[in-house]
Amino acid sequence: MLHIKNLSLSFSRYGGMSFRKVPLKIISDFNIAVHTGEMVAVIGSSGAGKSLLAHAILGILPSNAKLTGDIEFKGSRLTESRKKRIRGNEIALVPQSVAFLDPLESVKKNIQRAAFLNTGSTAKAGIMMNDAFDKYGLADNVGGLLPFQLSGGMARRVLIAAATVSGADLIIADEPTTGLDRNAIDDSLRVLKELTSEGKGVLLITHDIRAALKYADSIAVFYGGTTLEIAAPEDFKHPEKLRHPYTKDLYSSLPENGFVPVAGLNPFGDMIPAGCVYGERCSRKNELCETSRPDRKRINNGDVWCHHA
Ligand SMILES: Nc1ncnc2c1ncn2[C@@H]1O[C@H](COP(=O)(O)OP(=O)(O)OP(=O)(O)O)[C@@H](O)[C@H]1O
Ligand SMILES: [Mg+2]
């Protein structure tokens, strides 16, 4: 359904003392595919560019952003004008924060407005809104509340309802679990997972590895603005099956696997090296890693970008 190939994103901004605009690299050579009925998780740390990746797919980047690479949706190229046409109806975003809702409109009005933008008919929008209330178990009294009056878990349900009311085929959920307790996390992800059984594709953007491993069908490891590995959640049960040194280090850094820290910082902007983005922190780094970006290798039904794999 969605195929992203070699996506790169940079910002032009004033830098240094020169009063000249210089590019700030955020994403480079990012690759991923989401198929019908599949939930793919992109896991990455804070500030890595995950929200910008979502905004790039939807065509809602700031004007100083430069995007290159290919995005295909349902077999044809996703151009900026097509993005504009299909966002909100074929591709929907569950945004990172409740601040994306209209703060002065009730929950009911917010969801109805999303439906109206899609059908253009008030009567149909009313029916779609009622269906969404039933589907997501939103009680009648929730409809009258303003967004700021919602609890964290309820806010996520409302955001998911508003995004999916149009019947979009691809749902991009940006950090749908941040700030929630374990029950609310499960609740929110179960709702998204149900959408895959209706044949929707879900791109789950998160830094919650545990949640991703529990619900996603495939895990894309995002680091230094690029994909380092795409693995099945089961691979994380047997660390020897993981293909990239970073993914192995990530596994060992989980509390249940020893909490082993890795020295160094995630590279960002000008610090992103020309070679392997994990090179600086990798125990296997050699000259080749420093000078050249690894190509994709397919190993045991997964993908890896590493010279040593
Ligand atoms: N318009 C812009 N111009 C320059 N830099 C920007 C712009 N917008 C975002 N950035 C930078 O891009 C980086 C990635 O931002 P993004 O919001 O995508 O991160 P994220 O992975 O979603 O983080 P979080 O986990 O905190 O949500 C940030 O460090 C941010 O400072
Ligand atoms: Mg974000």
Side-chain angles (χ1 to χ4, degrees):
M1 180 185 287
L2 179 77
H3 290 267
I4 300 184
K5 289 177 205 145
N6 300 330
L7 190 84
S8 297
L9 167 70
S10 61
F11 287 112
S12 75
R13 46 132 205 198
Y14 290 101
M17 304 295 286
S18 65
F19 297 106
R20 268 206 217 113
K21 282 195 173 172
V22 290
L24 174 71
K25 259 202 286 183
I26 307 281
I27 298 174
S28 51
D29 299 322
F30 179 86
N31 290 273
I32 206 174
V34 181
H35 300 104
T36 303
E38 188 181 49
M39 181 190 273
V40 176
V42 173
I43 56 168
S45 55
S46 198
K50 301 183 303 300
S51 293
L52 290 171
L53 170 69
H55 299 178
I57 301 168
L58 286 144
I60 52 170
L61 288 170
S63 57
N64 64 333
K66 182 168 179 278
L67 191 67
T68 59
D70 278 325
I71 308 182
E72 250 183 39
F73 179 63
K74 294 185 185 167
S76 50
R77 197 145 181 255
L78 197 49
T79 57
E80 291 305 313
S81 61
R82 185 164 171 234
K83 285 177 191 174
K84 204 170 173 183
R85 248 187 355 262
I86 68 173
R87 70 174 168 243
N89 49 65
E90 289 185 52
I91 303 181
L93 174 70
V94 179
Q96 187 162 359
S97 140
V98 74
F100 280 72
L101 294 173
D102 185 332
L104 302 176
E105 294 269 32
S106 66
V107 163
K108 233 175 185 160
K109 284 252 172 70
N110 265 288
I111 297 179
Q112 195 164 12
R113 188 161 50 90
F116 180 79
L117 287 174
N118 197 252
T119 73
S121 144
T122 312
K124 274 194 197 150
I127 296 170
M128 285 160 85
M129 182 199 63
N130 287 333
D131 288 350
F133 264 67
D134 286 347
K135 182 168 177 184
Y136 295 109
L138 298 170
D140 262 354
N141 67 319
V142 174
L145 299 177
L146 291 169
F148 81 91
Q149 294 174 304
L150 299 169
S151 67
M154 194 52 78
R156 295 292 153 186
R157 267 178 184 257
V158 169
L159 288 170
I160 294 171
T164 56
V165 70
S166 63
D169 296 316
L170 176 68
I171 317 297
I172 303 175
D174 189 4
E175 304 274 12
T177 60
T178 308
L180 302 184
D181 61 52
R182 275 284 141 199
N183 286 339
I185 288 175
D186 276 325
D187 180 57
S188 168
L189 288 174
R190 233 179 278 128
V191 168
L192 287 168
K193 187 75 182 177
E194 269 163 36
L195 292 167
T196 63
S197 53
E198 295 166 22
K200 315 279 186 201
V202 177
L203 183 62
L204 170 70
I205 292 177
T206 183
H207 57 247
D208 187 342
I209 301 176
R210 239 182 257 129
L213 291 177
K214 188 164 171 191
Y215 289 95
D217 301 297
S218 169
I219 312 279
V221 180
F222 185 50
Y223 180 88
T226 196
T227 2
L228 293 185
E229 175 163 354
I230 299 177
E234 297 76 51
D235 296 345
F236 284 78
K237 290 186 187 141
H238 313 278
E240 68 283 0
K241 286 198 175 167
L242 295 171
R243 300 156 189 84
H244 198 285
Y246 172 61
T247 323
K248 289 181 200 262
D249 288 346
L250 194 62
Y251 173 91
S252 308
S253 72
L254 293 173
E256 59 272 35
N257 302 331
F259 232 150
V260 186
V262 185
L265 293 171
N266 293 7
F268 180 72
D270 302 338
M271 308 299 283
I272 295 178
C276 173
V277 293
Y278 195 52
E280 279 305 307
R281 304 171 79 183
C282 185
S283 55
R284 305 190 65 188
K285 179 181 81 165
N286 62 18
E287 210 177 305
L288 182 64
C289 308
E290 272 179 36
T291 51
S292 96
R293 272 278 167 107
D295 288 328
R296 180 203 296 248
K297 286 180 200 156
R298 184 106 188 123
I299 298 175
N300 293 335
N301 291 324
D303 292 307
V304 63
W305 286 257
C306 173
H307 290 303
H308 304 287

